[in-house]
Amino acid sequence: MAKSISEGLARNTISAIVNDKQVETTTPITTDSTVQLLTWNDDLGKKAFWHSSAHLLAQAILEFYPDAKLTIGPAIESGFYYDVDFGDESLSEKDFEKIEKRFLKMQRKDQHSLYIRFLKKML
């Protein structure tokens, strides 16, 4: 839908509100609906971006530390964070770069399928 308005809007749409419910950009709209496209300029757009980013961060951490226990990873007013119990393993600044690289690589792929795989792994 965003693409039919403009390429720029399509590139910048993070999430949408369809009939008063926030949804992902990949959610099909199959009936007449009220739609609001959310971008970085919208608080709910930022929150959706940070929420998804927290999940990607958790997935990247689990790839390097499969025994890590994830606790909470909320979007907050100015970004996001994830509390992680690494057990007997430790995390240092030297680990940040590899986690960040993996995070960015996952971000460039199909985020929806990564998110679903992550959820299945967590259940």
Side-chain angles (χ1 to χ4, degrees), residues 14 24 40 44-62 70 72-76 78-84 99-100 102-104 106-108 111-112 114-115 118:
I14 296 170
E24 296 180 352
W40 186 256
L44 288 175
K46 286 179 189 168
K47 187 174 181 178
F49 176 83
W50 288 326
H51 177 88
S52 296
S53 296
H55 286 291
L56 287 173
L57 176 62
Q59 179 65 32
I61 289 170
L62 286 177
L70 304 173
I72 186 171
I76 57 175
S78 60
F80 67 95
Y81 70 93
Y82 226 110
D83 281 340
V84 181
I99 293 169
E100 180 181 13
R102 183 64 186 132
F103 172 96
L104 292 172
M106 290 187 312
Q107 182 271 331
R108 289 180 191 105
Q111 292 179 9
H112 180 69
L114 286 168
Y115 180 61
F118 169 73

Side-chain angles (χ1 to χ4, degrees), residues 34-47:
T34 301
V35 178
Q36 177 186 356
L37 302 175
L38 302 172
T39 68
W40 186 256
N41 295 325
D42 303 293
D43 288 341
L44 288 175
K46 286 179 189 168
K47 187 174 181 178

